[in-house]
Amino acid sequence: MSIQTPNIPLLGFAAYSGTGKTTLLEALLPKLTEAGLKIGVLKHAHHNFDVDIPGKDSYRLRKAGASQMLISSRNRHALMTETPDSEAEFEYLLTRFDTQKLDVILVEGCKNIEFPKIELHREEVGKPWLYPNDNNIIAIAADTSVESELPQMSINDLDAIAQFILDYVAKGTTKKVAEAACCDTLSPAFLSVQQGQDKILAEVSAVQLVEPTHIAQSYGRILGHSVASPVNVPQYTNSAMDGFAIRSDDLDRAEYQVVAEILAGYSYDKPLEKGQAVKIMTGAPTPEHADTVVMREQASAEGDMVTFGDAVIKAGQNVRQAGEDLALGQTVFDVGTRIESPEMGMLASLGFEHCDTIRKLKVAVFSTGDEVQAPGTPIKPNSIFDSNRFTIMGLLEKLGCEILDYGIIEDNEQRMVEALEKAATEADLIMTSGGVSVGDADYIKLALDRLGKIDFWRINMRPGRPLAFGKVTGKPFFGLPGNPVAVMVSFINFVEPAIRKMQGEANWQPLKVKAVATEPLRSRQGRTEFSRGVYSVDEHGQLVVKTTGKQGSGILRSMSEANCLIEVSPAVDTVKVGESVTIIPLQGRI
Ligand code: AMP
Ligand code: MG
């Protein structure tokens, strides 16, 4: 995710505490203002920090309950806004600046947010470099030099740093950070999660065949063409209430003669005359000219006459117009829509018994490894039961795939080649688990070498670092890691988006939301960390998240206990209690 900055340049300073960010900024500001820049500064402070002074009027009024306190004098004004539930978003804070009157916004802190930054580094602080893992770093100011393509300055050369900022502002660099991000900062043997996803998505394409599908069997399928409404919805103008229908050019009468009673499913086929009313039920068609309905509760009927007392009647009230929800010919669903319960009902409501869906994706699954044994067989020494194949089947089932189960293929090159060749003729996609680690001697690699072009990637993530992807005689192939949790995390990040694209689903994005960490999260700079998490809503209505505990990638139970993955980006090393993190809810996905 990247920040679209306001219409002026935004530049941050990234450093570990102790590097002297504020001191440096304090020394830089006079140089920048002298050069004519008008500068806004955004500083992130600890949660118990207060700018106000106890005892001052503004402080007393705030404490007395002002949730926004604007204090103004001849020389300055300040707006203090209480945010008891959650910290304001970075992008929102940027909008608080009057950018008409500024040339640049400098940011101190906010290290987990993506926007261009200068890395400040002092050897004596003894902390690692940030730039190899943070694509947002556009320059380095340090007391030593490093091998990097990035512009470098001495941290003690204020003029050079000031000049860099002046040049940066002159260039008007407000473009998205993501575009400026450079992949070369990563060692070529490694790929980021995003790079892996992009490469995979570029290689797979949607299955083309569509087939007529009965709507009762359409759950989870993808529409192969767009659907236009063959009717008006509602089909005829009808009453939205139980009551009495009258004419809107006849509202001022004291009483009306009730000429008919219309139940849903019936109609009154004569035009309504002035002075007349019909008793009408919800959903029943309104007769010609009867364009206004008075609800039953406001009416008193006696014999065949009805009066409405002092009810205020608006012309046209309580009537649903034909085509009001959906006009004849209007597009209801676009091609690529996944059919779920509302779509099934909606298709039925339009009278469709069948719809054209994209053929089910056929996915071949097998496991490898001499230690892997089918459940239901007596356990042998040094063996484990094959769990991955079944986890994968569940994940595929959820996505509405047709599963071709090839079982466990013994560690034998010829057997592997045969299995892969068969899978490539029968399936649209082939998936295995295990045997893809770098240095692994498994036969699957030899077999893959003979049949296609497969890349063995090391993804900068945990768990799930090894991942093989490529084509076996033209069919996409995924070699997932062997560890059970890594299988699921890799599937969610790489396989699911590819499957959805191959199924023809349009516009799918995984749901990611922010939650506040209630325990510190360990991570390591340079890789994306996926912890198994449990999110909940706390007593303030804030979404909070903790981990499931021990995070070993063999602990499949942690996946069962989790309701989300916590995603900590490569630029972050630790997440403290109270900091906001990205979570990927798992409900509906696994
Ligand atoms: P590998 O990537 O083959 O080195 O496997 C990594 C770990 O995952 C090893 O502990 C394997 O025993 C385990 N593993 C491999 N395949 C499976 C499977 N199908 N089910 C459960 N665990 C597996
Ligand atoms: Mg193995």
Side-chain angles (χ1 to χ4, degrees), residues 470-529:
K471 299 239 167 113
V472 170
T473 54
K475 297 290 174 63
F477 168 89
F478 280 97
L480 299 178
N483 274 314
V485 177
V487 164
M488 296 196 80
V489 172
S490 308
F491 188 101
I492 288 166
N493 278 289
F494 302 107
V495 184
E496 184 179 344
I499 284 182
R500 289 183 185 268
K501 181 170 179 196
M502 292 180 76
Q503 288 176 323
E505 183 170 6
N507 304 322
W508 182 79
Q509 289 286 333
L511 175 64
K512 294 189 180 189
V513 289
K514 292 279 188 185
V516 170
T518 57
E519 68 181 51
L521 300 172
R522 223 168 34 85
S523 179
R524 202 185 72 191
Q525 276 198 352
R527 71 174 176 212
T528 307
E529 191 90 22

Short mmCIF file of all heavy atoms in Angstrom, two decimals, residues 470-529:
data_model
loop_
_atom_site.label_atom_id
_atom_site.label_comp_id
_atom_site.label_asym_id
_atom_site.label_seq_id
_atom_site.Cartn_x
_atom_site.Cartn_y
_atom_site.Cartn_z
N GLY A 470 5.92 -22.59 -11.93
CA GLY A 470 6.28 -22.61 -13.34
C GLY A 470 5.22 -23.36 -14.12
O GLY A 470 4.07 -23.42 -13.70
N LYS A 471 5.64 -23.94 -15.26
CA LYS A 471 4.67 -24.67 -16.08
C LYS A 471 5.18 -26.07 -16.36
O LYS A 471 6.37 -26.26 -16.67
CB LYS A 471 4.46 -23.93 -17.41
CG LYS A 471 3.91 -22.51 -17.21
CD LYS A 471 2.60 -22.32 -17.93
CE LYS A 471 1.92 -21.04 -17.49
NZ LYS A 471 1.84 -20.03 -18.52
N VAL A 472 4.30 -27.03 -16.27
CA VAL A 472 4.61 -28.40 -16.66
C VAL A 472 3.80 -28.68 -17.91
O VAL A 472 2.57 -28.65 -17.86
CB VAL A 472 4.20 -29.40 -15.53
CG1 VAL A 472 4.30 -30.83 -16.03
CG2 VAL A 472 5.07 -29.20 -14.31
N THR A 473 4.50 -28.92 -19.01
CA THR A 473 3.87 -29.01 -20.33
C THR A 473 2.69 -28.02 -20.48
O THR A 473 1.58 -28.39 -20.80
CB THR A 473 3.44 -30.45 -20.69
OG1 THR A 473 2.60 -30.95 -19.65
CG2 THR A 473 4.63 -31.38 -20.86
N GLY A 474 3.00 -26.80 -20.18
CA GLY A 474 2.04 -25.71 -20.42
C GLY A 474 1.06 -25.43 -19.29
O GLY A 474 0.38 -24.41 -19.32
N LYS A 475 0.96 -26.32 -18.30
CA LYS A 475 0.00 -26.10 -17.22
C LYS A 475 0.71 -25.50 -16.00
O LYS A 475 1.78 -25.98 -15.61
CB LYS A 475 -0.67 -27.42 -16.81
CG LYS A 475 -1.49 -28.08 -17.91
CD LYS A 475 -2.75 -27.29 -18.22
CE LYS A 475 -3.53 -27.82 -19.39
NZ LYS A 475 -4.06 -29.17 -19.22
N PRO A 476 0.11 -24.47 -15.40
CA PRO A 476 0.73 -23.88 -14.21
C PRO A 476 0.96 -24.92 -13.11
O PRO A 476 0.12 -25.80 -12.90
CB PRO A 476 -0.29 -22.84 -13.75
CG PRO A 476 -1.16 -22.59 -14.91
CD PRO A 476 -1.15 -23.82 -15.75
N PHE A 477 2.10 -24.80 -12.46
CA PHE A 477 2.48 -25.74 -11.42
C PHE A 477 2.91 -24.98 -10.17
O PHE A 477 3.69 -24.04 -10.25
CB PHE A 477 3.65 -26.61 -11.91
CG PHE A 477 4.29 -27.40 -10.81
CD1 PHE A 477 3.82 -28.67 -10.48
CD2 PHE A 477 5.35 -26.88 -10.08
CE1 PHE A 477 4.39 -29.39 -9.44
CE2 PHE A 477 5.93 -27.59 -9.05
CZ PHE A 477 5.44 -28.85 -8.72
N PHE A 478 2.38 -25.40 -9.02
CA PHE A 478 2.84 -24.86 -7.73
C PHE A 478 3.49 -25.97 -6.92
O PHE A 478 2.86 -27.00 -6.69
CB PHE A 478 1.67 -24.34 -6.90
CG PHE A 478 1.18 -22.98 -7.29
CD1 PHE A 478 0.09 -22.83 -8.13
CD2 PHE A 478 1.80 -21.84 -6.80
CE1 PHE A 478 -0.37 -21.57 -8.49
CE2 PHE A 478 1.35 -20.58 -7.15
CZ PHE A 478 0.26 -20.44 -8.01
N GLY A 479 4.73 -25.76 -6.51
CA GLY A 479 5.36 -26.66 -5.56
C GLY A 479 5.38 -25.95 -4.22
O GLY A 479 6.19 -25.06 -3.98
N LEU A 480 4.44 -26.32 -3.36
CA LEU A 480 4.33 -25.63 -2.07
C LEU A 480 5.34 -26.22 -1.09
O LEU A 480 5.80 -27.34 -1.27
CB LEU A 480 2.90 -25.78 -1.52
CG LEU A 480 1.80 -25.20 -2.39
CD1 LEU A 480 0.43 -25.45 -1.76
CD2 LEU A 480 2.01 -23.70 -2.60
N PRO A 481 5.67 -25.47 -0.04
CA PRO A 481 6.60 -26.00 0.95
C PRO A 481 6.00 -27.23 1.63
O PRO A 481 4.82 -27.53 1.43
CB PRO A 481 6.75 -24.86 1.95
CG PRO A 481 5.99 -23.70 1.43
CD PRO A 481 5.16 -24.14 0.29
N GLY A 482 6.80 -27.92 2.41
CA GLY A 482 6.31 -29.13 3.07
C GLY A 482 5.63 -28.85 4.40
O GLY A 482 4.68 -29.53 4.79
N ASN A 483 6.08 -27.81 5.09
CA ASN A 483 5.54 -27.54 6.41
C ASN A 483 4.07 -27.16 6.35
O ASN A 483 3.68 -26.28 5.58
CB ASN A 483 6.31 -26.39 7.08
CG ASN A 483 7.53 -26.91 7.80
OD1 ASN A 483 7.45 -27.91 8.51
ND2 ASN A 483 8.66 -26.27 7.58
N PRO A 484 3.25 -27.81 7.17
CA PRO A 484 1.80 -27.63 7.06
C PRO A 484 1.31 -26.18 7.15
O PRO A 484 0.41 -25.80 6.41
CB PRO A 484 1.27 -28.47 8.22
CG PRO A 484 2.27 -29.57 8.34
CD PRO A 484 3.60 -28.92 8.08
N VAL A 485 1.88 -25.37 8.03
CA VAL A 485 1.41 -23.98 8.11
C VAL A 485 1.90 -23.20 6.89
O VAL A 485 1.16 -22.39 6.31
CB VAL A 485 1.88 -23.29 9.40
CG1 VAL A 485 1.44 -21.84 9.42
CG2 VAL A 485 1.34 -24.02 10.61
N ALA A 486 3.14 -23.49 6.49
CA ALA A 486 3.68 -22.81 5.31
C ALA A 486 2.83 -23.11 4.08
O ALA A 486 2.64 -22.26 3.22
CB ALA A 486 5.12 -23.25 5.09
N VAL A 487 2.29 -24.32 4.02
CA VAL A 487 1.41 -24.69 2.91
C VAL A 487 0.22 -23.75 2.87
O VAL A 487 -0.12 -23.19 1.83
CB VAL A 487 0.93 -26.16 3.07
CG1 VAL A 487 -0.27 -26.45 2.18
CG2 VAL A 487 2.06 -27.11 2.76
N MET A 488 -0.40 -23.55 4.02
CA MET A 488 -1.60 -22.72 4.05
C MET A 488 -1.28 -21.25 3.76
O MET A 488 -2.00 -20.59 3.02
CB MET A 488 -2.30 -22.83 5.40
CG MET A 488 -2.81 -24.23 5.67
SD MET A 488 -4.00 -24.27 7.02
CE MET A 488 -5.47 -23.72 6.19
N VAL A 489 -0.21 -20.76 4.37
CA VAL A 489 0.14 -19.34 4.18
C VAL A 489 0.51 -19.10 2.72
O VAL A 489 0.14 -18.09 2.12
CB VAL A 489 1.26 -18.93 5.16
CG1 VAL A 489 1.75 -17.53 4.85
CG2 VAL A 489 0.75 -19.01 6.60
N SER A 490 1.25 -20.03 2.12
CA SER A 490 1.61 -19.87 0.70
C SER A 490 0.38 -19.97 -0.18
O SER A 490 0.24 -19.25 -1.16
CB SER A 490 2.59 -20.95 0.25
OG SER A 490 3.68 -21.01 1.10
N PHE A 491 -0.51 -20.89 0.17
CA PHE A 491 -1.72 -21.04 -0.62
C PHE A 491 -2.52 -19.74 -0.62
O PHE A 491 -2.93 -19.23 -1.66
CB PHE A 491 -2.58 -22.19 -0.06
CG PHE A 491 -3.75 -22.54 -0.93
CD1 PHE A 491 -3.71 -23.64 -1.77
CD2 PHE A 491 -4.92 -21.77 -0.93
CE1 PHE A 491 -4.79 -23.97 -2.59
CE2 PHE A 491 -5.99 -22.07 -1.74
CZ PHE A 491 -5.93 -23.18 -2.57
N ILE A 492 -2.71 -19.19 0.58
CA ILE A 492 -3.51 -17.97 0.71
C ILE A 492 -2.88 -16.81 -0.07
O ILE A 492 -3.57 -16.04 -0.73
CB ILE A 492 -3.66 -17.60 2.21
CG1 ILE A 492 -4.60 -18.60 2.87
CG2 ILE A 492 -4.13 -16.17 2.39
CD1 ILE A 492 -4.57 -18.56 4.38
N ASN A 493 -1.56 -16.72 -0.02
CA ASN A 493 -0.89 -15.58 -0.65
C ASN A 493 -0.65 -15.74 -2.14
O ASN A 493 -0.64 -14.75 -2.87
CB ASN A 493 0.44 -15.31 0.05
CG ASN A 493 0.25 -14.51 1.31
OD1 ASN A 493 -0.06 -13.33 1.26
ND2 ASN A 493 0.40 -15.15 2.46
N PHE A 494 -0.40 -16.96 -2.59
CA PHE A 494 0.01 -17.13 -3.99
C PHE A 494 -0.98 -17.95 -4.81
O PHE A 494 -1.25 -17.63 -5.95
CB PHE A 494 1.39 -17.79 -4.06
CG PHE A 494 2.44 -16.99 -3.34
CD1 PHE A 494 2.95 -17.41 -2.13
CD2 PHE A 494 2.88 -15.77 -3.86
CE1 PHE A 494 3.89 -16.65 -1.45
CE2 PHE A 494 3.82 -15.01 -3.20
CZ PHE A 494 4.33 -15.45 -1.98
N VAL A 495 -1.48 -19.04 -4.22
CA VAL A 495 -2.31 -19.93 -5.02
C VAL A 495 -3.73 -19.38 -5.18
O VAL A 495 -4.27 -19.36 -6.27
CB VAL A 495 -2.35 -21.35 -4.39
CG1 VAL A 495 -3.14 -22.28 -5.29
CG2 VAL A 495 -0.94 -21.88 -4.16
N GLU A 496 -4.28 -18.89 -4.08
CA GLU A 496 -5.67 -18.43 -4.15
C GLU A 496 -5.85 -17.31 -5.18
O GLU A 496 -6.78 -17.38 -6.00
CB GLU A 496 -6.17 -18.00 -2.76
CG GLU A 496 -7.64 -17.61 -2.82
CD GLU A 496 -8.22 -17.19 -1.47
OE1 GLU A 496 -7.59 -17.48 -0.42
OE2 GLU A 496 -9.28 -16.56 -1.48
N PRO A 497 -4.98 -16.28 -5.19
CA PRO A 497 -5.17 -15.24 -6.21
C PRO A 497 -5.06 -15.81 -7.64
O PRO A 497 -5.80 -15.40 -8.53
CB PRO A 497 -4.03 -14.25 -5.94
CG PRO A 497 -3.64 -14.48 -4.52
CD PRO A 497 -3.90 -15.94 -4.25
N ALA A 498 -4.14 -16.78 -7.82
CA ALA A 498 -3.97 -17.37 -9.15
C ALA A 498 -5.21 -18.17 -9.54
O ALA A 498 -5.70 -18.07 -10.67
CB ALA A 498 -2.74 -18.27 -9.17
N ILE A 499 -5.74 -18.94 -8.59
CA ILE A 499 -6.94 -19.73 -8.89
C ILE A 499 -8.10 -18.82 -9.24
O ILE A 499 -8.83 -19.04 -10.21
CB ILE A 499 -7.29 -20.65 -7.69
CG1 ILE A 499 -6.32 -21.83 -7.66
CG2 ILE A 499 -8.73 -21.13 -7.77
CD1 ILE A 499 -6.58 -22.83 -6.56
N ARG A 500 -8.26 -17.76 -8.47
CA ARG A 500 -9.38 -16.86 -8.75
C ARG A 500 -9.25 -16.23 -10.14
O ARG A 500 -10.22 -16.06 -10.85
CB ARG A 500 -9.49 -15.78 -7.66
CG ARG A 500 -9.98 -16.35 -6.34
CD ARG A 500 -10.14 -15.25 -5.32
NE ARG A 500 -10.50 -15.73 -4.02
CZ ARG A 500 -11.76 -15.85 -3.57
NH1 ARG A 500 -12.77 -15.56 -4.36
NH2 ARG A 500 -11.99 -16.28 -2.35
N LYS A 501 -8.01 -15.91 -10.52
CA LYS A 501 -7.83 -15.36 -11.87
C LYS A 501 -8.14 -16.42 -12.91
O LYS A 501 -8.81 -16.14 -13.91
CB LYS A 501 -6.40 -14.83 -12.04
CG LYS A 501 -6.18 -14.24 -13.42
CD LYS A 501 -4.89 -13.50 -13.58
CE LYS A 501 -4.80 -12.98 -15.02
NZ LYS A 501 -3.44 -12.57 -15.38
N MET A 502 -7.66 -17.66 -12.69
CA MET A 502 -7.92 -18.72 -13.66
C MET A 502 -9.41 -19.05 -13.75
O MET A 502 -9.91 -19.49 -14.78
CB MET A 502 -7.13 -19.98 -13.29
CG MET A 502 -5.63 -19.80 -13.44
SD MET A 502 -4.73 -21.29 -13.00
CE MET A 502 -5.02 -22.29 -14.46
N GLN A 503 -10.12 -18.87 -12.65
CA GLN A 503 -11.57 -19.12 -12.65
C GLN A 503 -12.34 -18.01 -13.35
O GLN A 503 -13.53 -18.13 -13.57
CB GLN A 503 -12.08 -19.22 -11.20
CG GLN A 503 -11.66 -20.49 -10.50
CD GLN A 503 -12.11 -20.49 -9.05
OE1 GLN A 503 -12.09 -19.45 -8.39
NE2 GLN A 503 -12.50 -21.64 -8.56
N GLY A 504 -11.64 -16.92 -13.67
CA GLY A 504 -12.29 -15.82 -14.37
C GLY A 504 -12.90 -14.79 -13.45
O GLY A 504 -13.63 -13.91 -13.88
N GLU A 505 -12.62 -14.90 -12.16
CA GLU A 505 -13.22 -13.94 -11.23
C GLU A 505 -12.58 -12.57 -11.43
O GLU A 505 -11.36 -12.42 -11.48
CB GLU A 505 -13.01 -14.40 -9.78
CG GLU A 505 -13.67 -13.47 -8.79
CD GLU A 505 -13.68 -14.02 -7.37
OE1 GLU A 505 -13.07 -15.07 -7.12
OE2 GLU A 505 -14.31 -13.35 -6.51
N ALA A 506 -13.44 -11.55 -11.54
CA ALA A 506 -12.93 -10.20 -11.76
C ALA A 506 -12.88 -9.45 -10.44
O ALA A 506 -13.68 -9.69 -9.54
CB ALA A 506 -13.86 -9.47 -12.74
N ASN A 507 -11.91 -8.56 -10.34
CA ASN A 507 -11.87 -7.61 -9.21
C ASN A 507 -11.77 -8.22 -7.84
O ASN A 507 -12.35 -7.73 -6.89
CB ASN A 507 -13.13 -6.72 -9.20
CG ASN A 507 -13.30 -6.00 -10.50
OD1 ASN A 507 -12.31 -5.57 -11.10
ND2 ASN A 507 -14.51 -5.90 -10.96
N TRP A 508 -11.06 -9.33 -7.69
CA TRP A 508 -10.95 -9.88 -6.34
C TRP A 508 -9.72 -9.31 -5.64
O TRP A 508 -8.65 -9.21 -6.22
CB TRP A 508 -10.85 -11.40 -6.38
CG TRP A 508 -10.78 -11.97 -4.99
CD1 TRP A 508 -11.83 -12.15 -4.15
CD2 TRP A 508 -9.62 -12.38 -4.27
NE1 TRP A 508 -11.39 -12.67 -2.95
CE2 TRP A 508 -10.04 -12.81 -3.00
CE3 TRP A 508 -8.26 -12.44 -4.58
CZ2 TRP A 508 -9.15 -13.29 -2.03
CZ3 TRP A 508 -7.38 -12.91 -3.61
CH2 TRP A 508 -7.83 -13.33 -2.36
N GLN A 509 -9.90 -8.91 -4.41
CA GLN A 509 -8.80 -8.44 -3.57
C GLN A 509 -8.95 -9.11 -2.23
O GLN A 509 -10.06 -9.18 -1.71
CB GLN A 509 -8.92 -6.92 -3.34
CG GLN A 509 -8.61 -6.06 -4.54
CD GLN A 509 -7.13 -6.00 -4.85
OE1 GLN A 509 -6.31 -6.17 -3.96
NE2 GLN A 509 -6.79 -5.80 -6.12
N PRO A 510 -7.87 -9.58 -1.63
CA PRO A 510 -8.03 -10.14 -0.29
C PRO A 510 -8.38 -9.03 0.69
O PRO A 510 -7.90 -7.90 0.56
CB PRO A 510 -6.65 -10.72 0.03
CG PRO A 510 -5.70 -9.99 -0.84
CD PRO A 510 -6.46 -9.59 -2.07
N LEU A 511 -9.21 -9.36 1.65
CA LEU A 511 -9.58 -8.37 2.67
C LEU A 511 -8.41 -8.20 3.64
O LEU A 511 -7.89 -9.17 4.18
CB LEU A 511 -10.82 -8.86 3.43
CG LEU A 511 -11.27 -8.00 4.60
CD1 LEU A 511 -11.70 -6.62 4.14
CD2 LEU A 511 -12.40 -8.68 5.36
N LYS A 512 -7.98 -6.96 3.81
CA LYS A 512 -6.95 -6.64 4.80
C LYS A 512 -7.45 -5.48 5.61
O LYS A 512 -7.92 -4.50 5.05
CB LYS A 512 -5.63 -6.27 4.13
CG LYS A 512 -4.99 -7.43 3.38
CD LYS A 512 -3.59 -7.11 2.90
CE LYS A 512 -3.00 -8.31 2.16
NZ LYS A 512 -1.59 -8.14 1.85
N VAL A 513 -7.37 -5.57 6.92
CA VAL A 513 -7.80 -4.46 7.77
C VAL A 513 -6.75 -4.21 8.84
O VAL A 513 -5.85 -5.02 9.04
CB VAL A 513 -9.18 -4.73 8.42
CG1 VAL A 513 -10.29 -4.67 7.41
CG2 VAL A 513 -9.21 -6.07 9.14
N LYS A 514 -6.90 -3.08 9.51
CA LYS A 514 -5.94 -2.73 10.56
C LYS A 514 -6.52 -3.09 11.93
O LYS A 514 -7.69 -2.89 12.18
CB LYS A 514 -5.69 -1.21 10.53
CG LYS A 514 -4.95 -0.76 9.29
CD LYS A 514 -3.48 -1.02 9.44
CE LYS A 514 -2.69 -0.39 8.30
NZ LYS A 514 -1.28 -0.75 8.41
N ALA A 515 -5.65 -3.62 12.78
CA ALA A 515 -6.05 -3.89 14.16
C ALA A 515 -4.91 -3.49 15.06
O ALA A 515 -3.75 -3.41 14.63
CB ALA A 515 -6.39 -5.37 14.33
N VAL A 516 -5.23 -3.24 16.32
CA VAL A 516 -4.20 -2.83 17.27
C VAL A 516 -3.64 -4.06 17.97
O VAL A 516 -4.38 -4.91 18.46
CB VAL A 516 -4.82 -1.85 18.30
CG1 VAL A 516 -3.85 -1.58 19.44
CG2 VAL A 516 -5.22 -0.55 17.61
N ALA A 517 -2.31 -4.16 17.98
CA ALA A 517 -1.66 -5.32 18.60
C ALA A 517 -1.77 -5.24 20.12
O ALA A 517 -1.49 -4.19 20.70
CB ALA A 517 -0.20 -5.36 18.18
N THR A 518 -2.19 -6.32 20.75
CA THR A 518 -2.27 -6.33 22.21
C THR A 518 -1.10 -7.09 22.82
O THR A 518 -1.03 -7.27 24.03
CB THR A 518 -3.58 -6.98 22.71
OG1 THR A 518 -3.66 -8.29 22.17
CG2 THR A 518 -4.78 -6.17 22.29
N GLU A 519 -0.21 -7.56 21.98
CA GLU A 519 1.04 -8.13 22.48
C GLU A 519 2.14 -7.74 21.50
O GLU A 519 1.86 -7.47 20.33
CB GLU A 519 0.93 -9.66 22.62
CG GLU A 519 0.80 -10.38 21.30
CD GLU A 519 0.65 -11.89 21.45
OE1 GLU A 519 -0.21 -12.32 22.22
OE2 GLU A 519 1.39 -12.63 20.78
N PRO A 520 3.40 -7.68 21.97
CA PRO A 520 4.47 -7.31 21.04
C PRO A 520 4.62 -8.41 20.00
O PRO A 520 4.46 -9.59 20.31
CB PRO A 520 5.72 -7.23 21.92
CG PRO A 520 5.32 -7.65 23.28
CD PRO A 520 3.88 -7.99 23.31
N LEU A 521 4.90 -8.01 18.76
CA LEU A 521 5.08 -9.01 17.70
C LEU A 521 6.52 -8.96 17.22
O LEU A 521 7.03 -7.91 16.86
CB LEU A 521 4.14 -8.71 16.53
CG LEU A 521 2.66 -8.71 16.85
CD1 LEU A 521 1.86 -8.22 15.65
CD2 LEU A 521 2.22 -10.12 17.23
N ARG A 522 7.13 -10.10 17.24
CA ARG A 522 8.49 -10.17 16.76
C ARG A 522 8.45 -10.35 15.24
O ARG A 522 7.59 -11.02 14.71
CB ARG A 522 9.19 -11.37 17.39
CG ARG A 522 10.59 -11.13 17.87
CD ARG A 522 11.05 -12.31 18.72
NE ARG A 522 10.48 -13.57 18.23
CZ ARG A 522 11.03 -14.29 17.26
NH1 ARG A 522 12.13 -13.89 16.67
NH2 ARG A 522 10.48 -15.42 16.88
N SER A 523 9.39 -9.73 14.59
CA SER A 523 9.46 -9.91 13.15
C SER A 523 10.92 -9.73 12.80
O SER A 523 11.75 -9.58 13.68
CB SER A 523 8.58 -8.87 12.47
OG SER A 523 8.68 -9.03 11.09
N ARG A 524 11.23 -9.74 11.54
CA ARG A 524 12.60 -9.42 11.17
C ARG A 524 12.54 -8.54 9.96
O ARG A 524 11.75 -8.79 9.04
CB ARG A 524 13.39 -10.68 10.88
CG ARG A 524 14.89 -10.45 11.03
CD ARG A 524 15.65 -11.68 10.62
NE ARG A 524 15.59 -11.85 9.17
CZ ARG A 524 15.99 -12.94 8.56
NH1 ARG A 524 16.44 -13.97 9.24
NH2 ARG A 524 15.93 -13.03 7.24
N GLN A 525 13.38 -7.51 9.97
CA GLN A 525 13.39 -6.64 8.81
C GLN A 525 13.77 -7.43 7.57
O GLN A 525 14.61 -8.31 7.62
CB GLN A 525 14.39 -5.52 9.02
CG GLN A 525 13.74 -4.43 9.81
CD GLN A 525 14.48 -3.15 9.71
OE1 GLN A 525 15.57 -3.10 9.16
NE2 GLN A 525 13.90 -2.11 10.22
N GLY A 526 13.14 -7.09 6.49
CA GLY A 526 13.52 -7.74 5.23
C GLY A 526 12.61 -8.87 4.85
O GLY A 526 12.72 -9.40 3.76
N ARG A 527 11.71 -9.27 5.72
CA ARG A 527 10.77 -10.29 5.27
C ARG A 527 9.39 -10.00 5.82
O ARG A 527 9.23 -9.33 6.84
CB ARG A 527 11.25 -11.68 5.67
CG ARG A 527 11.15 -11.93 7.14
CD ARG A 527 11.50 -13.37 7.46
NE ARG A 527 11.49 -13.56 8.89
CZ ARG A 527 12.28 -14.39 9.52
NH1 ARG A 527 13.17 -15.11 8.86
NH2 ARG A 527 12.20 -14.54 10.82
N THR A 528 8.42 -10.51 5.09
CA THR A 528 7.04 -10.37 5.55
C THR A 528 6.77 -11.51 6.50
O THR A 528 7.02 -12.67 6.20
CB THR A 528 6.07 -10.44 4.35
OG1 THR A 528 6.49 -9.48 3.38
CG2 THR A 528 4.66 -10.14 4.78
N GLU A 529 6.27 -11.14 7.66
CA GLU A 529 6.02 -12.14 8.71
C GLU A 529 4.51 -12.37 8.80
O GLU A 529 3.75 -11.42 8.96
CB GLU A 529 6.56 -11.56 10.02
CG GLU A 529 6.64 -12.52 11.16
CD GLU A 529 7.98 -13.24 11.22
OE1 GLU A 529 8.96 -12.72 10.67
OE2 GLU A 529 8.01 -14.33 11.80
#
